[in-house]
Amino acid sequence: MITSYITHPRCHDHFMGPEHPESPQRLDAIRARLSLSGVLQQTMQSEAKPATAEQIERVHPARHLASLDRCVPEEGLTMLDGDTLMNPASMEAARVAAGAVVRGVDQVYRGQADNVFCAVRPPGHHAEASDAMGFCFLNNIAVGAAHAIAQHGAERVAILDFDVHQCNGTVDIFKDHPNVLVCSSFQYPFYPWRYLRSQWHNIIDTPLPAGTDGPAFRRAVEDDWLPALHAFKPDLVLVSAGFDAHRCDPMADLCLEADDFHWVTQLALDIAALYADNRLVSVLEGGYDMEALGRCAEAHVSALLGLPFED
């Protein structure tokens, strides 16, 4: 198995203030842990390219992109909402983050890699078609899914999201889309407080009460996701990899361990092997305790590489 690791230095330049949990240190923590363990050296490393306007506008209207560009400050910070701020480099970083998923999709369809992990920020799964929120400006996973459909002829794209927060942006963009299945596990009831109850046939929600541990998470995912995935038979698997459901994360109250992320990654790989010729592209979403984030990312990338979990 060839695992591609895609990132870009520009992702460090997006900064929302010294107290903000979505910080450049997140990528440093991931890279340091993967390097120390030797996992990073087993991947094929490459740099992202910015997503083009055409690629972004498949999921966001042009007016949304123009509105965001107008908000970029010449210096300092601009607040879009209580959680989401911009500095002068934010939109460049957002375009690179979305472009990483596009490049990952290209790599798996061209046979350059079996699977991909995009270590990029800002995250994307809260960005709705016309609304930036929840630390997110552009919906990275959605841009990648739309690119796969438009450029590679993907007919059945499965998006698996195991962030502690529900992927309201991804749901907003793809609800009732005939070519996309979205499976999302999340703490309930919890932010973002919208789209928490699915009314669309292609959105599979797995709401989890606060305190849910690994065994309960695994049972719920198997019960909810596997029947839908086997019925759908995706020809591409995309993963929104949020690691903030770890028990040490300060943002929420689920109690997963690093090996649970190895397990759910293996589940996604099994589906990709069955139906998608191994094609799987993952992109970083949440995860805000630096030590836990590094360990969970190591578990995730180890699974992508076909390596066993090591604590």
Side-chain angles (χ1 to χ4, degrees):
M1 299 286 282
I2 298 174
T3 296
S4 172
Y5 182 90
I6 302 177
T7 189
H8 196 282
R10 202 62 172 149
C11 293
H12 282 78
D13 296 337
H14 166 59
F15 180 68
M16 294 189 285
E19 303 302 320
H20 202 288
E22 206 294 285
S23 75
Q25 294 177 349
R26 299 178 65 228
L27 297 184
D28 295 333
I30 290 172
R31 190 171 191 89
R33 180 76 187 206
L34 295 184
S35 297
L36 184 64
S37 66
V39 169
L40 182 65
Q41 293 87 328
Q42 299 181 57
T43 66
M44 179 181 75
Q45 300 177 52
S46 58
E47 282 196 355
K49 298 178 180 178
T52 66
E54 178 184 8
Q55 291 163 348
I56 295 167
E57 288 170 13
R58 293 188 183 117
V59 299
H60 296 290
R63 65 181 180 276
H64 174 67
L65 196 55
S67 176
L68 289 174
D69 285 336
R70 285 195 297 271
C71 292
V72 176
E74 292 186 7
E75 59 182 24
L77 295 172
T78 295
M79 182 175 290
L80 301 185
D81 63 26
D83 300 312
T84 313
L85 300 90
M86 280 184 165
N87 77 343
S90 293
M91 284 307 297
E92 292 181 50
R95 285 180 168 89
V96 165
V101 188
V102 169
R103 181 161 193 184
V105 167
D106 286 341
Q107 286 182 344
V108 297
Y109 271 100
R110 293 170 181 166
Q112 297 167 333
D114 296 292
N115 56 60
V116 179
F117 177 57
C118 302
V120 292
R121 53 180 294 277
H125 72 155
H126 292 310
E128 298 184 356
S130 300
D131 194 8
M133 59 181 287
F135 313 166
C136 304
F137 305 97
L138 305 175
N139 195 305
N140 306 322
I141 205 84
V143 172
H147 176 72
I149 293 167
Q151 293 299 311
H152 296 285
E155 296 179 352
R156 297 176 306 280
V157 179
I159 298 175
L160 311 184
D161 186 308
F162 49 76
D163 192 275
V164 82
H165 305 99
Q166 204 259 7
C167 55
N168 61 292
T170 311
V171 173
D172 179 68
I173 290 166
F174 289 125
K175 56 186 186 290
D176 273 337
H177 195 295
N179 304 100
V180 179
L181 175 73
V182 179
C183 299
S184 174
S185 63
F186 53 91
Q187 184 174 324
Y188 177 89
F190 203 44
Y191 182 90
W193 313 115
R194 55 219 238 183
Y195 292 124
L196 293 185
R197 289 294 190 186
S198 172
Q199 54 187 317
W200 302 279
H201 73 285
N202 67 320
I203 308 297
I204 310 300
D205 283 337
T206 301
L208 304 168
T212 295
D213 62 7
F217 165 76
R218 297 186 189 199
R219 287 193 299 270
V221 166
E222 288 180 331
D223 290 347
D224 293 350
W225 293 12
L226 287 182
L229 287 165
H230 287 305
F232 187 64
K233 297 179 173 58
D235 51 21
L236 174 66
V237 176
L238 301 180
V239 177
S240 275
F243 302 112
D244 41 6
H246 189 275
R247 62 179 176 82
C248 293
D249 199 278
M251 297 289 283
D253 302 292
L254 297 188
C255 297
L256 304 192
E257 302 284 354
D259 64 325
D260 295 310
F261 295 101
H262 189 278
W263 174 86
V264 74
T265 306
Q266 187 59 61
L267 180 146
L269 287 166
D270 289 344
I271 294 297
L274 274 174
Y275 303 116
D277 196 25
N278 293 315
R279 290 185 294 267
L280 182 151
V281 179
S282 171
V283 62
L284 178 66
E285 300 288 358
Y288 305 100
D289 178 275
M290 296 303 121
E291 183 180 357
L293 173 61
R295 285 190 280 117
C296 293
E298 180 189 356
H300 180 60
V301 178
S302 293
L304 294 179
L305 285 161
L307 302 174
F309 175 75
E310 294 185 6
D311 197 354

